[in-house]
Amino acid sequence: MPLDIVEVVRDMDRLARATWDRVMIGDIAGLKFREDSITDELLFALMRKHPQLAVRRLNQSEEKTAGADWEWWIGSWSLGWFRLKIQAKRVHGKKYRELDHRGDIDAGHEFQYQTLIAGCQGESTYPFHVFFNGWAQDRFRESFVSDHIHRCGPLDQELWGCAVMSSYSVVDLHLGSRGTEWTERSFVPRYMPASLPWSRLFTLACTNAVADNLKAYRAHYATMSSEQILDDLRMAAILLDGAGRGEISGVDGSGALNWARQTLTSTPLVTRLPGYAHKTLAAHRYFLETGDFAEGNPNFLIGPEDALTGRLPDVLLLLDLDLDLDEIDRPR
């Protein structure tokens, strides 16, 4: 059974709703869930449901020089890969206060998001922020309206439990806000209108969790080859990235799509994965062969010999579009 992108989108929306409730109720109860614990739970849940997603925890001491909480390598061994580098921030009160987190000072980066972007200058690599949200209805007076509501219709606010936006937009709103009081630069309502549910990283077709839309969306992908699906997914990332850079005014319309297609053809895929991604594959194979994780399994640990040079994230996911689970013997 190959990867079902529609089910990935559906599950990401489900997890976003659960995150909204977890953050909101946790805050009320005084349980301040950390970003890394939320991240671990989300990615583990996705991998358990979709084994084509391989996950491996890497050395947390590398986060300072990576600027990323996780990477998502999407593609296949036959076609090539593109990479999403993602930094996660959770809401605290009315602010994303960790946006003030310092970056790699040795590299001249004042803020962490500058470190993230600096590591995304290679081929087919795109930086994004994912915000973990959740609050009671009376926390804000502002009404949050996403910039895509005119083409999607109203979406449930809980889908912004995991909200994504280009890291270039974060720079513009946080660092480039001349004349804005510093205390307001991390104010949540500044960021929400420019963000989307995180599942939109995986779809050009903007769809709510409505059965008819999902059926049409599944039919759309059913006729496509792995190469076409890879192009479709990469165009979604290119559109969000381009809007964040200011190269296009929005992600909607034929003009934006034509720009994304041109950018797609001029941006080569990554053909060789770094060494730590191959270690992810080893962990992935262990999961497929055993059908489950074993706590403390050495395939999931990183040793001193793995202190690789370069910018490593805390978590790496490998999404293999060609992997067909029906072709793998798994234990009953």
Side-chain angles (χ1 to χ4, degrees):
M1 178 178 61
L3 181 70
D4 188 334
I5 295 294
V6 175
E7 286 303 311
V8 173
V9 170
R10 189 200 298 269
D11 287 330
M12 291 177 77
D13 283 344
R14 176 182 58 81
L15 290 168
R17 294 177 187 275
T19 299
W20 182 281
D21 287 342
R22 182 179 186 183
V23 173
M24 178 181 67
I25 297 172
D27 283 355
I28 294 172
L31 301 172
K32 303 295 185 182
F33 296 107
R34 291 167 51 92
E35 291 155 359
D36 54 358
S37 66
I38 296 174
T39 297
D40 285 349
E41 183 172 334
L42 290 170
L43 302 185
F44 183 76
L46 277 177
M47 184 191 58
R48 289 298 300 269
K49 182 71 178 293
H50 305 281
Q52 296 92 338
L53 297 175
V55 179
R56 186 172 186 273
R57 167 63 72 182
L58 297 178
N59 192 337
Q60 292 187 10
S61 67
E62 297 287 345
E63 183 181 0
K64 180 180 177 181
T65 57
D69 290 297
W70 80 82
E71 290 182 1
W72 221 318
W73 289 86
I74 301 168
S76 73
W77 303 99
S78 60
L79 298 172
W81 307 85
F82 72 96
R83 175 171 56 170
L84 310 179
K85 295 188 72 170
I86 297 173
Q87 190 176 108
K89 300 296 177 190
R90 64 150 291 169
V91 63
H92 292 276
K94 295 185 177 183
K95 296 180 180 180
Y96 298 124
R97 68 186 187 195
E98 291 301 318
L99 286 177
D100 296 336
H101 190 85
R102 295 301 177 183
D104 186 357
I105 301 300
D106 293 339
H109 304 147
E110 182 180 4
F111 296 106
Q112 191 181 39
Y113 51 71
Q114 293 171 311
T115 303
L116 173 68
I117 289 175
C120 295
Q121 304 308 308
E123 298 174 342
S124 296
T125 301
Y126 310 98
F128 290 100
H129 273 63
V130 169
F131 295 104
F132 300 142
N133 297 311
W135 48 74
Q137 292 183 356
D138 59 353
R139 182 176 298 184
F140 297 102
R141 293 182 180 179
E142 293 80 0
S143 176
F144 300 130
V145 180
S146 175
D147 62 359
H148 75 319
I149 197 169
H150 65 284
R151 66 190 176 95
C152 298
L155 295 176
D156 294 340
Q157 181 174 245
E158 289 77 8
L159 290 178
W160 272 259
C162 301
V164 67
M165 65 186 300
S166 167
S167 297
Y168 291 101
S169 295
V170 172
V171 172
D172 182 56
L173 291 168
H174 187 266
L175 188 63
S177 302
R178 305 300 181 188
T180 301
E181 291 291 335
W182 184 258
T183 56
E184 296 184 4
R185 291 192 179 187
S186 301
F187 193 43
V188 168
R190 294 176 57 80
Y191 298 86
M192 287 292 286
S195 66
L196 298 169
W198 74 324
S199 62
R200 276 46 181 180
L201 283 170
F202 286 86
T203 172
L204 283 173
C206 184
T207 176
N208 200 349
V210 178
D212 290 343
N213 288 344
L214 289 175
K215 288 179 181 178
Y217 188 34
R218 179 174 283 110
H220 167 68
Y221 275 109
T223 61
M224 299 171 67
S225 65
S226 294
E227 184 173 9
Q228 291 171 320
I229 292 175
L230 179 58
D231 286 347
D232 212 45
L233 295 176
R234 189 153 63 114
M235 281 179 62
I238 287 172
L239 283 169
L240 292 175
D241 182 74
R245 291 172 180 263
E247 297 184 13
I248 52 176
S249 58
V251 299
D252 187 33
S254 58
L257 286 174
N258 288 335
W259 175 87
R261 290 190 184 97
Q262 293 174 0
T263 305
L264 182 77
T265 58
S266 62
T267 307
L269 288 163
V270 177
T271 56
R272 293 188 61 186
L273 291 176
Y276 60 86
H278 288 281
K279 292 181 179 294
T280 297
L281 179 63
H284 187 197
R285 288 297 174 186
Y286 174 84
F287 170 66
L288 291 176
E289 290 169 4
T290 63
D292 206 342
F293 286 107
E295 187 174 358
N297 171 51
N299 284 324
F300 291 94
L301 303 179
I302 184 166
E305 70 277 9
D306 296 318
L308 306 174
T309 57
R311 302 183 182 277
L312 301 183
D314 276 351
V315 176
L316 182 139
L317 293 91
L318 200 66
L319 193 163
D320 191 345
L321 296 174
D322 282 346
L323 181 61
D324 190 336
L325 296 183
D326 291 339
E327 297 177 358
I328 298 176
D329 291 330
R330 302 184 64 190
R332 301 292 184 224

